[in-house]
Amino acid sequence: DHYRSFLTMIRQYRHLKMLKRSGHRHDRDGTAATKPGACAVLCPACPQPNLNLPDDWEDAAPERK
């Protein structure tokens, strides 16, 4: 059955594409050294301290938090 082989190839291709897009495809230690979550992309809408929150966000008034 060629369909199962085709699905396996597609899954491998998607994995390699994900590694390439996240900058981990050409690691010296190989793709097996990529840690879980290393390919995740930070959400630009989610508040991240020291990234997209003001420095005094902890001291802000409760209605502004």
Side-chain angles (χ1 to χ4, degrees), residues 47-65:
Q48 301 287 332
N50 298 329
L51 188 62
N52 59 357
L53 282 176
D55 293 334
D56 60 347
W57 69 273
E58 292 174 328
D59 301 328
E63 63 271 2
R64 298 218 40 189
K65 285 187 179 183

Side-chain angles (χ1 to χ4, degrees), residues 5-33:
S5 300
F6 177 71
L7 291 179
T8 301
M9 187 270 308
I10 291 294
R11 191 175 71 238
Q12 292 172 348
Y13 174 79
R14 286 180 178 168
H15 181 69
L16 291 175
K17 205 62 165 156
M18 176 187 59
L19 290 170
K20 179 184 167 195
R21 288 178 179 157
S22 65
H24 291 277
R25 180 63 185 104
H26 298 291
D27 262 346
R28 289 184 179 193
D29 299 328
T31 57

